[in-house]
Amino acid sequence: MDHRGFTSFLLIFTCVSAQYVPPYTEDCRTGMYPPSGPTFKGAVPWYTVDLGLPPSKRWTGVITDKKNELAAMIKAIKDLADAFVPSGKLLDLVDKDLPLMVDTLPYPFNEEIKGVATASGVPLGEVVLFNIFYEVFTVCTSLVAEDPAGNLIHARNLDFGLFMGWDLKNRSWVITETLKPLVVNVDFRRNNRTVFKSTNFAGYVGMLTGIRPQTFTLTMNERFSLEGGYIGILEWILGKRDGVWMSFLTRSVLENATSYEEAKKQLSDMKLLAPAYFILGGNQSGEGCIITRSRIHNINPLELSKQQGRWYVLETNYDHWKAPLFLDDRRTPAMKCMNQTTQSNISIKTIYDVLSTKPVLNKLTTYTTLMEVANGKLESFIRDCPNPCMPW
Ligand SMILES: *[C@@H]1O[C@H](CO)[C@@H](O)[C@H](O)[C@H]1NC(C)=O
Ligand SMILES: *[C@@H]1O[C@H](CO)[C@@H](O)[C@H](O)[C@H]1NC(C)=O
Ligand SMILES: *[C@@H]1O[C@H](CO)[C@@H](O)[C@H](O)[C@H]1NC(C)=O
Ligand SMILES: *[C@@H]1O[C@H](CO)[C@@H](O)[C@H](O)[C@H]1NC(C)=O
Ligand SMILES: *[C@@H]1O[C@H](CO)[C@@H](O)[C@H](O)[C@H]1NC(C)=O
């Protein structure tokens, strides 16, 4: 692929500046669960994906239901690309060059992506685009907390679509809005038994949020990093392919790791294409950690610790040992609400309250997922952030 074209493509998507809006923070919310009212946009439908089927057939059921929504989301991305580079060159690149890239992706992801393209009628290059660039634009909040009985609760807000087309009229992000109808919960089964469950976007085959019942829970957040940002992805396209895609690793770990320790080891040691945060919870007291990844290493791990009174770990998109960017501090409000709740009152309900407090809830928040490993429960909710609300 023409890598100059590719570089300008990345720049276009990352250098668009959004208008500055002062931080808007509210008091910690209470009584938000069960979800209702203006911050709750709807329930998330469940689907089953049979891992025993050939990869190209696994997503047919999901995509048959969601193909119009998938086409609408991809059209919104294309309109945005056209607005930046009116010549249409960018889209030529996507339609001509990205289809070739699918065969460089590892099995079964390459086959699953082809299956999504076939079932949806969306051109292959555009489905590849969705799958590889998606993880570059997520800003989120994830946390693992332990209640006094030693039960672990893992929850996240998924905030997606930063810099992807601010709609002045609606005061919303165009891509964030078109993604909401694509949110699905998936029960991945083998021999008709659940292996793991996830909250996902239809058409996207990697994982950002998942649970392996009674074993572990896992979420991934983006890590912006000057050293190593997109270089690995560029290298992949240019032919140097010795790292793994972050959300493909998350999916493999959910599918294959059979213990918290094994999941932790794989997430810590695999060479990645770009930096990332993995937030992992186990099924036993004390098992919860933030894995801060450079492309090579797990830097400065942070774990739950009774001795140090650390009954939760919480990650947004900044290294836990550094201050967050002042324009984007979701960590302090989230921790303030966790501290105010106290360990003795922590539950699915009170964690939903924390994740419903602005700016932890913001214009990019697409869904909230709540997971309880011991009973294997995963539930998720599509979110809205009525004005006034921070754009991120
Ligand atoms: C934005 O507003 C326009 C009308 O002003 C409407 O047609 C459109 O559906 C809205 N988009 C979203 C994502 O809400
Ligand atoms: C799969 O399991 C579900 C319940 O978990 C059951 O209702 C269904 O009949 C099973 N399907 C097959 C093909 O065994
Ligand atoms: C929350 O509590 C922890 C542990 O006591 C403390 O380190 C942290 O500064 C507190 N954060 C906020 C925002 O209150
Ligand atoms: C714990 O939660 C209950 C109900 O959710 C509430 O009535 C109570 O005040 C809370 N306790 C503390 C210490 O916040
Ligand atoms: C997971 O934790 C629950 C609650 O502590 C326990 O009943 C169950 O046996 C554990 N499962 C495994 C596989 O360790």
Side-chain angles (χ1 to χ4, degrees):
M1 175 180 205
D2 169 356
H3 72 274
R4 279 204 350 259
F6 178 77
T7 309
S8 53
F9 178 82
L10 279 183
L11 287 176
I12 283 156
F13 273 97
T14 50
C15 293
V16 188
S17 70
Q19 67 188 130
Y20 172 71
V21 179
Y24 177 80
T25 305
E26 63 185 357
D27 290 340
C28 301
R29 305 308 309 265
T30 56
M32 300 293 286
Y33 189 97
S36 67
T39 65
F40 172 52
K41 198 171 174 159
V44 176
W46 276 96
Y47 291 88
T48 298
V49 164
D50 181 357
L51 293 168
L53 288 176
S56 63
K57 303 276 184 252
R58 289 175 188 168
W59 293 96
T60 306
V62 177
I63 299 303
T64 303
D65 270 17
K66 292 288 184 184
K67 64 179 165 208
N68 294 338
E69 290 84 353
L70 181 62
M73 193 275 309
I74 287 181
K75 179 173 182 303
I77 293 185
K78 283 165 57 172
D79 289 349
L80 216 56
D82 263 343
F84 288 128
V85 186
S87 66
K89 285 229 166 70
L90 210 56
L91 295 179
D92 281 358
L93 201 75
V94 170
D95 286 331
K96 280 209 209 91
D97 293 327
L98 284 184
L100 303 176
M101 197 178 142
V102 77
D103 289 318
T104 72
L105 297 176
Y107 180 90
F109 305 106
N110 52 358
E111 293 298 318
E112 289 189 15
I113 288 171
K114 287 181 193 167
V116 168
T118 307
S120 62
V122 172
L124 180 58
E126 295 167 20
V127 179
V128 172
L129 177 75
F130 180 38
N131 275 274
I132 66 180
F133 290 107
Y134 173 83
E135 56 193 78
V136 172
F137 299 104
T138 44
V139 289
C140 320
T141 303
S142 292
L143 65 93
V144 178
E146 181 166 333
D147 75 8
N151 293 311
L152 291 158
I153 303 168
H154 188 151
R156 77 121 84 238
N157 275 359
L158 187 115
D159 303 347
F160 180 78
L162 186 60
F163 304 142
M164 306 279 263
W166 181 247
D167 181 335
L168 276 173
K169 273 202 217 98
N170 306 35
R171 297 216 258 157
S172 62
W173 295 98
V174 174
I175 303 301
T176 309
E177 295 307 315
T178 58
L179 272 172
K180 287 178 185 176
L182 286 174
V183 180
V184 290
N185 288 328
V186 182
D187 182 355
F188 288 85
R189 294 182 156 236
R190 195 174 281 125
N191 302 321
N192 205 22
R193 290 198 53 201
T194 297
V195 180
F196 66 102
K197 299 190 267 193
S198 81
T199 307
N200 240 35
F201 294 112
Y204 185 72
V205 304
M207 297 290 133
L208 300 167
T209 305
I211 180 169
R212 191 161 168 117
Q214 307 239 316
T215 313
F216 61 85
T217 50
L218 174 58
T219 57
M220 185 177 93
N221 290 10
E222 179 177 356
R223 178 167 183 243
F224 307 100
S225 165
L226 290 178
E227 76 290 356
Y230 307 132
I231 292 171
I233 295 174
L234 263 176
E235 282 178 355
W236 184 283
I237 289 167
L238 298 174
K240 181 165 180 270
R241 304 197 173 117
D242 61 346
V244 298
W245 293 86
M246 295 70 72
S247 64
F248 293 167
L249 175 60
T250 311
R251 156 97 184 257
S252 305
V253 167
L254 281 163
E255 205 168 320
N256 302 313
T258 54
S259 70
Y260 172 76
E261 286 306 329
E262 190 184 345
K264 191 163 145 189
K265 186 163 177 10
Q266 290 180 13
L267 295 165
S268 301
D269 296 344
M270 286 285 197
K271 184 172 178 193
L272 297 178
L273 292 188
Y277 299 104
F278 297 114
I279 300 85
L280 180 68
N283 188 55
Q284 275 176 37
S285 172
E287 290 182 342
C289 64
I290 295 171
I291 298 169
T292 300
R293 283 297 313 267
S294 72
R295 293 181 60 197
I296 315 287
H297 297 114
N298 173 5
I299 314 160
N300 203 352
L302 182 69
E303 315 225 7
L304 293 176
S305 162
K306 238 183 209 127
Q307 290 88 332
Q308 297 180 45
R310 192 159 47 241
W311 56 275
Y312 69 88
V313 288
L314 186 147
E315 175 59 49
T316 58
N317 301 89
Y318 302 93
D319 295 345
H320 63 80
W321 62 96
K322 292 184 190 155
L325 184 68
F326 75 102
L327 274 180
D328 177 33
D329 186 4
R330 286 161 287 121
R331 185 206 292 165
T332 306
M335 288 182 73
K336 184 182 133 217
C337 296
M338 289 297 285
N339 289 0
Q340 204 168 305
T341 305
T342 72
Q343 183 178 21
S344 61
N345 232 7
I346 208 70
S347 66
I348 286 282
K349 284 165 102 147
T350 53
I351 287 178
Y352 187 79
D353 289 337
V354 173
L355 293 175
S356 301
T357 301
K358 299 168 188 174
V360 183
L361 180 75
N362 58 66
K363 290 284 185 194
L364 293 168
T365 306
T366 311
Y367 67 76
T368 298
T369 293
L370 306 168
M371 299 181 280
E372 270 178 309
V373 69
N375 62 17
K377 188 163 125 187
L378 174 149
E379 55 179 352
S380 56
F381 308 98
I382 306 197
R383 305 305 304 265
D384 248 344
C385 189
N387 292 321
C389 174
M390 275 287 280
W392 57 81

